[in-house]
Amino acid sequence: MKKLIAVSLCVITMVICGFLIVKKLDSLDIASNKTDWYVMDSIRKIEERTDIDDCEKKILKKEIQTKRQNEKDNSGIAFETQIYAFGIIMIQIILLFFIIMMPSENHKKLN
């Protein structure tokens, strides 16, 4: 019975960690160079506009840069979360292996 509970907890932990890994995939910034280029292009287009004054240009550029920095920060957090979740899954697999290899209580009573 204790073995079944331990195996269940290991499996539940691995499922939760797997869910975290999959959920954080959308937050990863895989093509950061491409995204940075789009940000620089947007800033260049704002600089070229003549219909707005310098103060508005600064505000728009700052908003774009802040949004990009937030995306980078979120990507870093998502990557760290995935690394930790993967590490926990590996530990749980090792624990699961040892739990399964342990002799059961019924086997001990027979000897």
Side-chain angles (χ1 to χ4, degrees):
M1 184 65 175
K2 291 178 187 178
K3 193 174 183 179
L4 179 65
I5 293 171
V7 169
S8 299
L9 289 174
C10 282
V11 171
I12 290 170
T13 304
M14 288 190 291
V15 168
I16 291 171
C17 288
F19 175 75
L20 280 174
I21 289 172
V22 171
K23 186 157 176 70
K24 294 293 183 176
L25 280 177
D26 294 338
S27 299
L28 289 178
D29 187 18
I30 305 296
S32 62
N33 290 340
K34 188 175 183 180
T35 309
D36 287 340
W37 184 84
Y38 285 129
V39 168
M40 291 311 224
D41 189 48
S42 297
I43 290 173
R44 183 188 55 79
K45 287 179 182 177
I46 289 172
E47 277 294 325
E48 292 175 354
R49 289 181 60 181
T50 57
D51 60 330
I52 55 176
D53 63 356
D54 287 338
C55 185
E56 288 180 83
K57 287 180 183 180
K58 287 180 184 178
I59 291 171
L60 290 173
K61 289 190 294 186
K62 190 68 174 173
E63 286 177 359
I64 291 172
Q65 291 171 344
T66 304
K67 182 181 176 188
R68 178 65 187 133
Q69 187 60 43
N70 288 341
E71 290 173 355
K72 283 182 179 181
D73 293 342
N74 289 340
S75 176
I77 291 169
F79 185 68
E80 286 180 16
T81 302
Q82 288 181 328
I83 288 176
Y84 292 138
F86 186 71
I88 291 171
I89 288 174
M90 290 296 116
I91 292 169
Q92 292 297 321
I93 288 173
I94 293 168
L95 288 173
L96 192 61
F97 174 75
F98 285 123
I99 290 170
I100 291 174
M101 296 307 287
M102 284 178 21
S104 63
E105 293 175 8
N106 295 336
H107 184 69
K108 290 179 185 177
K109 290 179 184 177
L110 293 175
N111 290 334

Tab-separated table of all heavy atoms in Angstrom, residues 29-71:
chain	number	residue	atom	x	y	z
A	29	ASP	N	11.059	32.890	-25.877
A	29	ASP	CA	11.425	33.776	-26.984
A	29	ASP	C	12.510	33.076	-27.790
A	29	ASP	O	13.692	33.290	-27.578
A	29	ASP	CB	11.908	35.112	-26.426
A	29	ASP	CG	12.139	36.141	-27.503
A	29	ASP	OD1	11.614	35.959	-28.614
A	29	ASP	OD2	12.848	37.118	-27.236
A	30	ILE	N	12.068	32.217	-28.699
A	30	ILE	CA	13.015	31.396	-29.458
A	30	ILE	C	13.802	32.250	-30.453
A	30	ILE	O	15.020	32.173	-30.529
A	30	ILE	CB	12.272	30.255	-30.188
A	30	ILE	CG1	11.453	29.417	-29.215
A	30	ILE	CG2	13.239	29.400	-30.979
A	30	ILE	CD1	12.254	28.673	-28.189
A	31	ALA	N	13.114	33.056	-31.226
A	31	ALA	CA	13.770	33.867	-32.255
A	31	ALA	C	13.979	35.287	-31.735
A	31	ALA	O	13.399	36.245	-32.244
A	31	ALA	CB	12.932	33.867	-33.519
A	32	SER	N	14.824	35.441	-30.737
A	32	SER	CA	14.992	36.753	-30.100
A	32	SER	C	15.646	37.764	-31.042
A	32	SER	O	15.319	38.951	-31.000
A	32	SER	CB	15.789	36.630	-28.812
A	32	SER	OG	17.083	36.149	-29.081
A	33	ASN	N	16.561	37.318	-31.892
A	33	ASN	CA	17.207	38.254	-32.820
A	33	ASN	C	16.195	38.836	-33.798
A	33	ASN	O	16.230	40.025	-34.111
A	33	ASN	CB	18.324	37.561	-33.594
A	33	ASN	CG	19.503	37.241	-32.719
A	33	ASN	OD1	19.671	37.836	-31.651
A	33	ASN	ND2	20.317	36.306	-33.148
A	34	LYS	N	15.296	37.992	-34.264
A	34	LYS	CA	14.270	38.447	-35.196
A	34	LYS	C	13.332	39.428	-34.504
A	34	LYS	O	12.976	40.467	-35.061
A	34	LYS	CB	13.498	37.238	-35.726
A	34	LYS	CG	12.543	37.546	-36.826
A	34	LYS	CD	11.917	36.257	-37.353
A	34	LYS	CE	11.004	36.528	-38.513
A	34	LYS	NZ	10.405	35.288	-39.031
A	35	THR	N	12.937	39.115	-33.287
A	35	THR	CA	12.052	39.990	-32.533
A	35	THR	C	12.735	41.315	-32.217
A	35	THR	O	12.112	42.382	-32.316
A	35	THR	CB	11.608	39.307	-31.230
A	35	THR	OG1	11.110	38.014	-31.534
A	35	THR	CG2	10.526	40.096	-30.535
A	36	ASP	N	14.017	41.266	-31.869
A	36	ASP	CA	14.763	42.501	-31.619
A	36	ASP	C	14.834	43.359	-32.880
A	36	ASP	O	14.756	44.580	-32.812
A	36	ASP	CB	16.175	42.184	-31.121
A	36	ASP	CG	16.184	41.668	-29.701
A	36	ASP	OD1	15.201	41.897	-28.976
A	36	ASP	OD2	17.185	41.020	-29.314
A	37	TRP	N	14.967	42.718	-34.035
A	37	TRP	CA	15.017	43.461	-35.285
A	37	TRP	C	13.686	44.171	-35.523
A	37	TRP	O	13.666	45.333	-35.943
A	37	TRP	CB	15.331	42.526	-36.461
A	37	TRP	CG	15.481	43.281	-37.738
A	37	TRP	CD1	16.583	43.911	-38.212
A	37	TRP	CD2	14.435	43.515	-38.695
A	37	TRP	NE1	16.313	44.516	-39.397
A	37	TRP	CE2	14.993	44.287	-39.725
A	37	TRP	CE3	13.110	43.146	-38.771
A	37	TRP	CZ2	14.251	44.698	-40.825
A	37	TRP	CZ3	12.369	43.553	-39.871
A	37	TRP	CH2	12.948	44.327	-40.883
A	38	TYR	N	12.567	43.491	-35.259
A	38	TYR	CA	11.255	44.118	-35.429
A	38	TYR	C	11.082	45.315	-34.490
A	38	TYR	O	10.490	46.329	-34.869
A	38	TYR	CB	10.130	43.114	-35.192
A	38	TYR	CG	9.934	42.138	-36.324
A	38	TYR	CD1	9.891	40.776	-36.080
A	38	TYR	CD2	9.791	42.573	-37.637
A	38	TYR	CE1	9.718	39.871	-37.116
A	38	TYR	CE2	9.611	41.677	-38.674
A	38	TYR	CZ	9.569	40.332	-38.414
A	38	TYR	OH	9.398	39.443	-39.432
A	39	VAL	N	11.595	45.198	-33.279
A	39	VAL	CA	11.523	46.310	-32.337
A	39	VAL	C	12.327	47.494	-32.854
A	39	VAL	O	11.855	48.639	-32.840
A	39	VAL	CB	12.013	45.871	-30.935
A	39	VAL	CG1	12.235	47.060	-30.030
A	39	VAL	CG2	11.032	44.902	-30.313
A	40	MET	N	13.530	47.240	-33.327
A	40	MET	CA	14.363	48.318	-33.864
A	40	MET	C	13.726	48.946	-35.099
A	40	MET	O	13.793	50.166	-35.292
A	40	MET	CB	15.766	47.796	-34.196
A	40	MET	CG	16.549	47.440	-32.962
A	40	MET	SD	16.465	48.782	-31.803
A	40	MET	CE	18.097	48.879	-31.271
A	41	ASP	N	13.092	48.124	-35.917
A	41	ASP	CA	12.406	48.643	-37.104
A	41	ASP	C	11.221	49.516	-36.692
A	41	ASP	O	10.990	50.568	-37.292
A	41	ASP	CB	11.944	47.481	-37.983
A	41	ASP	CG	11.420	47.951	-39.323
A	41	ASP	OD1	12.108	48.776	-39.970
A	41	ASP	OD2	10.320	47.511	-39.722
A	42	SER	N	10.485	49.111	-35.671
A	42	SER	CA	9.358	49.915	-35.182
A	42	SER	C	9.845	51.248	-34.632
A	42	SER	O	9.227	52.298	-34.873
A	42	SER	CB	8.607	49.166	-34.093
A	42	SER	OG	8.051	47.989	-34.585
A	43	ILE	N	10.952	51.221	-33.916
A	43	ILE	CA	11.509	52.463	-33.371
A	43	ILE	C	11.968	53.375	-34.505
A	43	ILE	O	11.749	54.590	-34.464
A	43	ILE	CB	12.664	52.141	-32.392
A	43	ILE	CG1	12.089	51.503	-31.130
A	43	ILE	CG2	13.458	53.397	-32.053
A	43	ILE	CD1	13.139	50.993	-30.166
A	44	ARG	N	12.572	52.796	-35.527
A	44	ARG	CA	13.012	53.591	-36.676
A	44	ARG	C	11.822	54.241	-37.375
A	44	ARG	O	11.869	55.411	-37.750
A	44	ARG	CB	13.776	52.708	-37.666
A	44	ARG	CG	14.336	53.461	-38.870
A	44	ARG	CD	14.917	52.522	-39.911
A	44	ARG	NE	13.990	51.505	-40.362
A	44	ARG	CZ	13.012	51.698	-41.267
A	44	ARG	NH1	12.850	52.888	-41.800
A	44	ARG	NH2	12.230	50.711	-41.640
A	45	LYS	N	10.731	53.488	-37.504
A	45	LYS	CA	9.530	54.035	-38.156
A	45	LYS	C	8.927	55.164	-37.330
A	45	LYS	O	8.408	56.143	-37.884
A	45	LYS	CB	8.503	52.931	-38.379
A	45	LYS	CG	8.895	51.987	-39.491
A	45	LYS	CD	7.860	50.890	-39.667
A	45	LYS	CE	8.303	49.930	-40.758
A	45	LYS	NZ	7.378	48.801	-40.923
A	46	ILE	N	8.991	55.043	-36.015
A	46	ILE	CA	8.485	56.115	-35.157
A	46	ILE	C	9.336	57.365	-35.334
A	46	ILE	O	8.818	58.484	-35.386
A	46	ILE	CB	8.450	55.660	-33.682
A	46	ILE	CG1	7.345	54.625	-33.484
A	46	ILE	CG2	8.242	56.846	-32.746
A	46	ILE	CD1	7.342	53.963	-32.128
A	47	GLU	N	10.658	57.194	-35.430
A	47	GLU	CA	11.563	58.332	-35.619
A	47	GLU	C	11.281	59.058	-36.928
A	47	GLU	O	11.424	60.283	-37.010
A	47	GLU	CB	13.027	57.866	-35.599
A	47	GLU	CG	13.612	57.700	-34.239
A	47	GLU	CD	13.730	59.017	-33.496
A	47	GLU	OE1	14.004	60.060	-34.106
A	47	GLU	OE2	13.516	58.983	-32.277
A	48	GLU	N	10.880	58.311	-37.939
A	48	GLU	CA	10.647	58.904	-39.254
A	48	GLU	C	9.319	59.645	-39.353
A	48	GLU	O	9.124	60.443	-40.275
A	48	GLU	CB	10.709	57.821	-40.335
A	48	GLU	CG	12.083	57.248	-40.534
A	48	GLU	CD	12.101	56.096	-41.529
A	48	GLU	OE1	11.015	55.667	-41.977
A	48	GLU	OE2	13.202	55.633	-41.854
A	49	ARG	N	8.422	59.392	-38.425
A	49	ARG	CA	7.103	60.040	-38.483
A	49	ARG	C	7.222	61.534	-38.209
A	49	ARG	O	7.947	61.969	-37.313
A	49	ARG	CB	6.157	59.405	-37.477
A	49	ARG	CG	5.748	58.010	-37.872
A	49	ARG	CD	4.813	57.394	-36.904
A	49	ARG	NE	3.570	58.157	-36.769
A	49	ARG	CZ	2.597	57.803	-35.954
A	49	ARG	NH1	2.706	56.740	-35.181
A	49	ARG	NH2	1.502	58.538	-35.881
A	50	THR	N	6.498	62.299	-38.992
A	50	THR	CA	6.516	63.753	-38.812
A	50	THR	C	5.216	64.284	-38.233
A	50	THR	O	5.127	65.461	-37.902
A	50	THR	CB	6.770	64.446	-40.166
A	50	THR	OG1	5.761	64.030	-41.101
A	50	THR	CG2	8.152	64.085	-40.694
A	51	ASP	N	4.221	63.425	-38.090
A	51	ASP	CA	2.927	63.867	-37.600
A	51	ASP	C	2.846	63.925	-36.072
A	51	ASP	O	1.846	64.392	-35.534
A	51	ASP	CB	1.816	62.977	-38.154
A	51	ASP	CG	1.975	61.521	-37.749
A	51	ASP	OD1	3.125	61.082	-37.560
A	51	ASP	OD2	0.946	60.819	-37.633
A	52	ILE	N	3.881	63.495	-35.381
A	52	ILE	CA	3.887	63.551	-33.918
A	52	ILE	C	5.141	64.288	-33.453
A	52	ILE	O	6.155	64.334	-34.151
A	52	ILE	CB	3.827	62.138	-33.284
A	52	ILE	CG1	4.950	61.244	-33.810
A	52	ILE	CG2	2.490	61.488	-33.548
A	52	ILE	CD1	5.000	59.878	-33.163
A	53	ASP	N	5.060	64.870	-32.270
A	53	ASP	CA	6.211	65.623	-31.771
A	53	ASP	C	7.209	64.715	-31.043
A	53	ASP	O	6.973	63.515	-30.870
A	53	ASP	CB	5.756	66.780	-30.876
A	53	ASP	CG	5.040	66.300	-29.627
A	53	ASP	OD1	4.827	65.086	-29.496
A	53	ASP	OD2	4.701	67.150	-28.780
A	54	ASP	N	8.313	65.288	-30.620
A	54	ASP	CA	9.398	64.509	-30.009
A	54	ASP	C	8.984	63.840	-28.706
A	54	ASP	O	9.423	62.723	-28.409
A	54	ASP	CB	10.609	65.412	-29.750
A	54	ASP	CG	11.329	65.778	-31.030
A	54	ASP	OD1	11.175	65.027	-32.017
A	54	ASP	OD2	12.045	66.802	-31.036
A	55	CYS	N	8.166	64.501	-27.936
A	55	CYS	CA	7.732	63.930	-26.658
A	55	CYS	C	6.923	62.646	-26.892
A	55	CYS	O	7.142	61.633	-26.219
A	55	CYS	CB	6.903	64.952	-25.899
A	55	CYS	SG	6.432	64.415	-24.251
A	56	GLU	N	6.013	62.683	-27.846
A	56	GLU	CA	5.228	61.490	-28.161
A	56	GLU	C	6.115	60.370	-28.727
A	56	GLU	O	5.899	59.192	-28.446
A	56	GLU	CB	4.122	61.830	-29.163
A	56	GLU	CG	2.990	62.646	-28.581
A	56	GLU	CD	1.938	62.953	-29.621
A	56	GLU	OE1	1.079	62.088	-29.857
A	56	GLU	OE2	2.003	64.061	-30.196
A	57	LYS	N	7.099	60.759	-29.518
A	57	LYS	CA	8.037	59.769	-30.066
A	57	LYS	C	8.780	59.056	-28.941
A	57	LYS	O	8.924	57.837	-28.961
A	57	LYS	CB	9.034	60.442	-31.013
A	57	LYS	CG	8.461	60.847	-32.332
A	57	LYS	CD	9.535	61.502	-33.201
A	57	LYS	CE	8.967	61.985	-34.510
A	57	LYS	NZ	9.983	62.618	-35.363
A	58	LYS	N	9.240	59.826	-27.958
A	58	LYS	CA	9.956	59.232	-26.833
A	58	LYS	C	9.057	58.270	-26.060
A	58	LYS	O	9.489	57.190	-25.654
A	58	LYS	CB	10.494	60.321	-25.903
A	58	LYS	CG	11.661	61.074	-26.460
A	58	LYS	CD	12.135	62.140	-25.496
A	58	LYS	CE	13.256	62.960	-26.095
A	58	LYS	NZ	13.707	64.028	-25.193
A	59	ILE	N	7.810	58.676	-25.866
A	59	ILE	CA	6.871	57.828	-25.125
A	59	ILE	C	6.615	56.531	-25.886
A	59	ILE	O	6.634	55.444	-25.299
A	59	ILE	CB	5.553	58.586	-24.851
A	59	ILE	CG1	5.802	59.711	-23.858
A	59	ILE	CG2	4.475	57.641	-24.351
A	59	ILE	CD1	4.623	60.651	-23.680
A	60	LEU	N	6.368	56.642	-27.187
A	60	LEU	CA	6.108	55.439	-28.000
A	60	LEU	C	7.316	54.500	-28.020
A	60	LEU	O	7.173	53.280	-27.895
A	60	LEU	CB	5.721	55.833	-29.426
A	60	LEU	CG	4.347	56.484	-29.593
A	60	LEU	CD1	4.173	56.980	-31.025
A	60	LEU	CD2	3.257	55.506	-29.220
A	61	LYS	N	8.505	55.086	-28.182
A	61	LYS	CA	9.716	54.260	-28.195
A	61	LYS	C	9.928	53.576	-26.851
A	61	LYS	O	10.284	52.397	-26.794
A	61	LYS	CB	10.946	55.107	-28.564
A	61	LYS	CG	10.960	55.544	-30.010
A	61	LYS	CD	12.273	56.166	-30.418
A	61	LYS	CE	12.512	57.465	-29.691
A	61	LYS	NZ	13.715	58.176	-30.152
A	62	LYS	N	9.680	54.309	-25.778
A	62	LYS	CA	9.851	53.731	-24.431
A	62	LYS	C	8.854	52.607	-24.198
A	62	LYS	O	9.204	51.577	-23.605
A	62	LYS	CB	9.685	54.830	-23.380
A	62	LYS	CG	10.064	54.402	-22.012
A	62	LYS	CD	11.557	54.160	-21.935
A	62	LYS	CE	11.942	53.862	-20.515
A	62	LYS	NZ	13.333	53.461	-20.408
A	63	GLU	N	7.626	52.764	-24.670
A	63	GLU	CA	6.622	51.702	-24.532
A	63	GLU	C	7.046	50.440	-25.276
A	63	GLU	O	6.904	49.332	-24.758
A	63	GLU	CB	5.262	52.179	-25.061
A	63	GLU	CG	4.557	53.152	-24.156
A	63	GLU	CD	3.257	53.659	-24.763
A	63	GLU	OE1	2.903	53.269	-25.891
A	63	GLU	OE2	2.595	54.462	-24.093
A	64	ILE	N	7.564	50.613	-26.483
A	64	ILE	CA	8.015	49.464	-27.272
A	64	ILE	C	9.178	48.775	-26.581
A	64	ILE	O	9.218	47.539	-26.478
A	64	ILE	CB	8.391	49.901	-28.703
A	64	ILE	CG1	7.131	50.317	-29.467
A	64	ILE	CG2	9.118	48.789	-29.450
A	64	ILE	CD1	7.407	50.945	-30.819
A	65	GLN	N	10.141	49.557	-26.096
A	65	GLN	CA	11.294	48.971	-25.428
A	65	GLN	C	10.901	48.283	-24.121
A	65	GLN	O	11.424	47.212	-23.798
A	65	GLN	CB	12.344	50.045	-25.162
A	65	GLN	CG	13.007	50.555	-26.421
A	65	GLN	CD	13.878	51.772	-26.188
A	65	GLN	OE1	13.780	52.437	-25.149
A	65	GLN	NE2	14.714	52.096	-27.164
A	66	THR	N	9.974	48.858	-23.388
A	66	THR	CA	9.515	48.249	-22.139
A	66	THR	C	8.788	46.944	-22.403
A	66	THR	O	9.001	45.950	-21.704
A	66	THR	CB	8.589	49.224	-21.374
A	66	THR	OG1	9.283	50.441	-21.158
A	66	THR	CG2	8.142	48.641	-20.058
A	67	LYS	N	7.950	46.944	-23.428
A	67	LYS	CA	7.233	45.717	-23.785
A	67	LYS	C	8.216	44.621	-24.178
A	67	LYS	O	8.075	43.468	-23.767
A	67	LYS	CB	6.261	46.006	-24.926
A	67	LYS	CG	5.446	44.813	-25.333
A	67	LYS	CD	4.511	45.137	-26.477
A	67	LYS	CE	3.791	43.883	-26.922
A	67	LYS	NZ	3.028	44.089	-28.144
A	68	ARG	N	9.230	44.972	-24.946
A	68	ARG	CA	10.224	43.981	-25.373
A	68	ARG	C	11.014	43.457	-24.174
A	68	ARG	O	11.290	42.254	-24.078
A	68	ARG	CB	11.175	44.598	-26.406
A	68	ARG	CG	12.261	43.667	-26.862
A	68	ARG	CD	11.680	42.488	-27.617
A	68	ARG	NE	12.730	41.534	-27.888
A	68	ARG	CZ	12.620	40.235	-27.671
A	68	ARG	NH1	11.500	39.721	-27.237
A	68	ARG	NH2	13.614	39.435	-27.912
A	69	GLN	N	11.370	44.342	-23.246
A	69	GLN	CA	12.106	43.912	-22.062
A	69	GLN	C	11.262	42.977	-21.206
A	69	GLN	O	11.762	41.985	-20.673
A	69	GLN	CB	12.564	45.126	-21.242
A	69	GLN	CG	13.470	44.764	-20.106
A	69	GLN	CD	14.743	44.083	-20.565
A	69	GLN	OE1	15.363	44.499	-21.539
A	69	GLN	NE2	15.145	43.031	-19.880
A	70	ASN	N	9.968	43.273	-21.091
A	70	ASN	CA	9.067	42.394	-20.339
A	70	ASN	C	8.968	41.009	-20.989
A	70	ASN	O	8.935	39.994	-20.295
A	70	ASN	CB	7.677	43.019	-20.211
A	70	ASN	CG	7.643	44.192	-19.269
A	70	ASN	OD1	8.528	44.350	-18.439
A	70	ASN	ND2	6.633	45.028	-19.408
A	71	GLU	N	8.926	40.990	-22.321
A	71	GLU	CA	8.888	39.708	-23.026
A	71	GLU	C	10.163	38.911	-22.781
A	71	GLU	O	10.115	37.694	-22.597
A	71	GLU	CB	8.690	39.933	-24.524
A	71	GLU	CG	7.315	40.431	-24.897
A	71	GLU	CD	7.196	40.819	-26.363
A	71	GLU	OE1	8.216	40.788	-27.079
A	71	GLU	OE2	6.079	41.169	-26.783
